[in-house]
Amino acid sequence: MRLAKLPPLLRWLDGCPDPKQRGLAELFSKALGVRYDTIDPSATGKAEGREQWLLNTQVALLLGDKDTSLSRYTSWERKPVSTIAKNIIWRHEAGRYALIQEPLYPLGEQLPDYYGCDPHKIRSKRLNYLRSEAWKRFSETDMFFVKQSDFLHIVPTVPHLRNVKLSICYCELPEQESALNNWSTPGKWKQDPDALSYGGFAPRSKHYINGELVGEDRPTPYRMSKTPFPEPRVPRRGGLIAVQPDEPDYAQICADQGLTHLLSDQQKQTVLNGAHLTPRSMASNEPLDFSGDNLSPSTESPGTRQPNGIKSGKESLVNGVDSGDHQHTN
């Protein structure tokens, strides 16, 4: 009965024969570090208020400890997890506690008929159902926060956590439940002594190995470019308006502006021959069809009939009459 009330991830932990493994710890190596003065507002303005606290279940997963109450660590201070906190944590870690993240599929498959099929082929309706059922259990589970510093202090003594990189992501809790509707946070980091060093952005993740800080994600510095970003060159009319491939003079403008690499072989040859391109020929790489009657006179081959039905010779036509018989008048 007790197990049935736990979210899937904690059911798996309870039944795992050997959870104290490096490979399993690496699956849970990313955690949320909740700022303490958003857990206890009375700590606002104090140094301790800027400390980060971890969820007890997160710590138990990393330690491979089935006792999620962490009863062995009697000296650790504890703070209860509010409904607001559970909602915020769930937004970040629903996939983990519901075992619907792909790296956690092997764990979910250890629960009898949890997915109902190959988890890689599971349908979205089933995923939503699993997420919904997991939330019901997660929201009803008794949880508490412990100090991040207390946990990091014992990490070097835990064999399977040695040299495992732990990443703790900064998190603030809203003061009122109404703020859950718009994802707003108090932004208390803005009042911290080192707030300016984050360039106007909230703190991100800090990384630890063997309990020691080894790095922190910060905004990447930038430098103003003196030149525009490179962009694919296209033919432009008047230097501004891009000419589209289906426009009649596209090929000629490409040639004039040194952009013949944008043309097909047929288009290049036609431009070299000084022929006029039709929209049809420019929209396709197919060779021109000289047997039709929709071609302009400049693309006509010898022997092609004009729309008036008169067959042209090797000389050009003037008003449909062979130029050889045309008499000039003064």
Side-chain angles (χ1 to χ4, degrees):
M1 179 65 78
R2 182 186 69 86
L3 284 179
K5 295 181 178 181
L6 295 176
L9 177 60
L10 300 185
R11 294 210 308 271
W12 165 82
L13 176 63
D14 188 85
C16 181
D18 182 17
K20 299 180 186 291
Q21 298 181 45
R22 178 189 177 96
L24 292 175
E26 289 175 339
L27 288 175
F28 310 118
S29 61
K30 294 182 180 179
L32 283 181
V34 180
R35 184 180 171 113
Y36 182 59
D37 59 8
T38 64
I39 297 173
D40 181 1
S42 67
T44 301
K46 303 175 183 178
E48 66 181 36
R50 299 193 293 272
E51 294 182 358
Q52 290 175 277
W53 289 53
L54 304 174
L55 196 63
N56 66 305
T57 52
Q58 172 70 62
V59 172
L61 287 163
L62 286 170
L63 293 175
D65 194 339
K66 298 184 181 184
D67 177 15
T68 56
S69 67
L70 306 177
S71 58
R72 292 175 52 195
Y73 307 99
T74 55
S75 64
W76 288 7
E77 189 177 352
R78 291 160 164 77
K79 290 291 180 181
V81 176
S82 66
T83 300
I84 291 177
K86 286 184 178 179
N87 274 274
I88 294 298
I89 293 170
W90 183 255
R91 286 178 177 178
H92 291 276
E93 301 193 343
R96 173 180 289 182
Y97 282 92
L99 294 175
I100 54 177
Q101 292 176 339
E102 187 170 351
L104 302 180
Y105 286 167
L107 309 188
E109 289 179 314
Q110 297 174 34
L111 300 178
D113 197 34
Y114 178 62
Y115 298 115
C117 64
D118 181 347
H120 294 90
K121 300 178 180 179
I122 195 168
R123 296 182 177 274
S124 59
K125 183 177 180 179
R126 176 66 177 174
L127 285 176
N128 291 334
Y129 171 78
L130 295 177
R131 184 185 292 107
S132 175
E133 290 299 305
W135 162 244
K136 292 177 184 178
R137 289 160 176 76
F138 181 86
S139 63
E140 296 172 357
T141 301
D142 290 331
M143 298 176 178
F144 56 88
F145 290 113
V146 296
K147 280 186 181 181
Q148 170 187 299
S149 56
D150 285 339
F151 166 66
L152 291 177
H153 180 72
I154 69 165
V155 166
T157 68
V158 182
H160 70 275
L161 291 182
R162 288 175 188 162
N163 298 320
V164 172
K165 183 179 179 181
L166 305 178
S167 300
I168 300 180
C169 180
Y170 179 87
C171 178
E172 291 188 8
L173 304 177
E175 297 176 356
Q176 305 294 331
E177 285 195 34
S178 59
L180 294 173
N181 296 326
N182 56 19
W183 294 71
S184 63
T185 59
K188 290 192 171 184
W189 62 271
K190 296 177 183 178
Q191 307 302 321
D192 293 349
D194 61 346
L196 292 178
S197 67
Y198 290 96
F201 296 92
R204 301 181 186 180
S205 294
K206 292 184 178 180
H207 310 287
Y208 301 84
I209 295 180
N210 298 327
E212 299 292 332
L213 180 66
V214 296
E216 179 179 6
D217 294 341
R218 285 179 173 267
T220 304
Y222 64 89
R223 182 175 58 187
M224 188 71 71
S225 174
K226 296 181 180 179
T227 58
F229 289 108
E231 60 175 318
R233 289 188 61 195
V234 296
R236 295 185 180 275
R237 207 182 306 279
L240 294 175
I241 303 174
V243 181
Q244 302 301 319
D246 59 352
E247 296 188 45
D249 52 355
Y250 175 80
Q252 188 60 55
I253 294 177
C254 281
D256 293 343
Q257 297 181 5
L259 300 174
T260 53
H261 63 281
L262 299 177
L263 303 176
S264 67
D265 291 341
Q266 177 65 39
Q267 289 172 318
K268 292 177 185 177
Q269 188 61 43
T270 307
V271 171
L272 289 175
N273 292 338
H276 172 69
L277 288 173
T278 65
R280 174 183 176 277
S281 66
M282 289 181 290
S284 172
N285 288 329
E286 298 177 2
L288 290 173
D289 181 4
F290 289 102
S291 61
D293 55 6
N294 291 324
L295 301 175
S296 62
S298 60
T299 57
E300 288 284 281
S301 64
T304 301
R305 291 187 179 275
Q306 299 296 334
N308 59 14
I310 300 177
K311 182 178 180 180
S312 66
K314 295 183 179 180
E315 300 293 330
S316 61
L317 295 175
V318 179
N319 297 328
V321 181
D322 192 314
S323 61
D325 297 333
H326 182 68
Q327 298 295 323
H328 294 277
T329 59
N330 293 324

